[in-house]
Amino acid sequence: DGGITQSPKYLFRKEGQNVTLSCEQNLNHDAMYWYRQDPGQGLRLIYYSQIVNDFQKGDIAEGYSVSREKKESFPLTVTSAQKNPTAFYLCASSWGPAGGTGELFFGEGSRLTVL
Amino acid sequence: GENVEQHPSTLSVQEGDSAVIKCTYSDSASNYFPWYKQELGKGPQLIIDIRSNVGEKKDQRIAVTLNKTAKHFSLHITETQPEDSAVYFCAASTGGSSNTGKLIFGQGTTLQVKP
């Protein structure tokens, strides 16, 4: 089955720790995205990548980092610099840029809780 | 920055009634307007989209209308069923050309269809 796999589904972290969320897709999509979902705020773009070895900051990139070494993979690291990291994180991919003709295909999300 | 406002935040209807969700956008260059449905515990999924050269699009019980002059677009669901209960997000493209465009999401509407 083609799709996007995010792991882990639930993650707990102590303050001051970095944590990495995994996102893998087998849809052969060029573009990949990370969104953060908070109640009442919709989906906010953290980082996106249109091609391997290239990525751009989204609207709320501070305290996050990404890499795109392989087409299939786009991991997100939530660093200790992120002041309010508790949230639901969604990874997505698309054939082309999401603002053009690319439908976004989402994973099932990772819920991060900072204790 | 560019933004998308979505209303209402919650909507409760009786099974069989219609539901309408409205969004306004700020970027006059926006030309792509998708709607996503998010069921509990899952990632959002595209249900319908519309481009700026079209005023209305219909797919079975779902329709979307676009008023470019007023910069607003709406989702209409007729003959609602309990399985329509979910969170719905509107989005608008922004960022100029389709090669660099991004999506800006609304805040989401929680639709509850009572049997």
Side-chain angles (χ1 to χ4, degrees), chain A residues 9 35 37 40 42-43 45 48 50 59 88 90 97-101 103-104 106-108, chain B residues 31-32 36 38 41-44 46 51 89 93 98-107:
Chain A
K9 201 173 179 70
Y35 286 89
Q37 184 175 8
L43 306 178
L45 184 63
Y48 64 107
Q50 306 282 24
D59 301 313
F88 188 59
L90 284 161
T101 58
E103 173 185 351
L104 288 175
F106 285 90
E108 295 204 330
Chain B
N31 57 14
Y32 175 59
Y36 285 82
Q38 184 178 28
K42 295 189 176 181
L46 180 72
R51 301 190 187 277
F89 291 98
S93 64
S98 62
N99 288 332
T100 59
K102 300 181 295 182
L103 284 178
I104 302 295
F105 283 85
Q107 296 85 350

Side-chain angles (χ1 to χ4, degrees), chain A:
Chain A
D1 274 327
I4 297 185
T5 303
Q6 288 187 241
S7 62
K9 201 173 179 70
Y10 299 95
L11 187 61
F12 298 88
R13 183 195 98 178
K14 292 182 180 179
E15 278 193 30
Q17 287 181 335
N18 291 356
V19 62
T20 297
L21 308 180
S22 170
C23 178
E24 303 279 330
Q25 55 101 357
N26 60 4
L27 299 168
N28 200 31
H29 286 168
D30 288 317
M32 297 187 74
Y33 311 81
W34 275 104
Y35 286 89
R36 171 177 170 145
Q37 184 175 8
D38 296 285
Q41 295 198 52
L43 306 178
R44 292 183 291 168
L45 184 63
I46 303 173
Y47 267 99
Y48 64 107
S49 168
Q50 306 282 24
I51 197 169
V52 174
N53 292 323
D54 188 42
F55 48 83
Q56 288 79 39
K57 292 182 179 180
D59 301 313
I60 56 165
E62 186 175 349
Y64 300 97
S65 66
V66 293
S67 63
R68 186 85 187 277
E69 297 176 2
K70 297 187 298 182
K71 187 175 185 178
E72 306 79 31
S73 178
F74 192 41
L76 173 74
T77 297
V78 185
T79 75
S80 56
Q82 168 51 232
K83 298 196 184 319
N84 186 19
T86 294
F88 188 59
Y89 292 89
L90 284 161
C91 179
S93 70
S94 66
W95 284 112
T101 58
E103 173 185 351
L104 288 175
F105 292 81
F106 285 90
E108 295 204 330
S110 294
R111 185 168 297 281
L112 172 64
T113 303
V114 175
L115 305 172

Side-chain angles (χ1 to χ4, degrees), chain B residues 72-92:
Chain B
H72 69 70
F73 57 113
S74 301
L75 178 71
H76 305 253
I77 306 174
T78 58
E79 301 171 23
T80 53
Q81 300 166 4
E83 51 264 38
D84 293 330
S85 297
V87 179
Y88 291 81
F89 291 98
C90 64

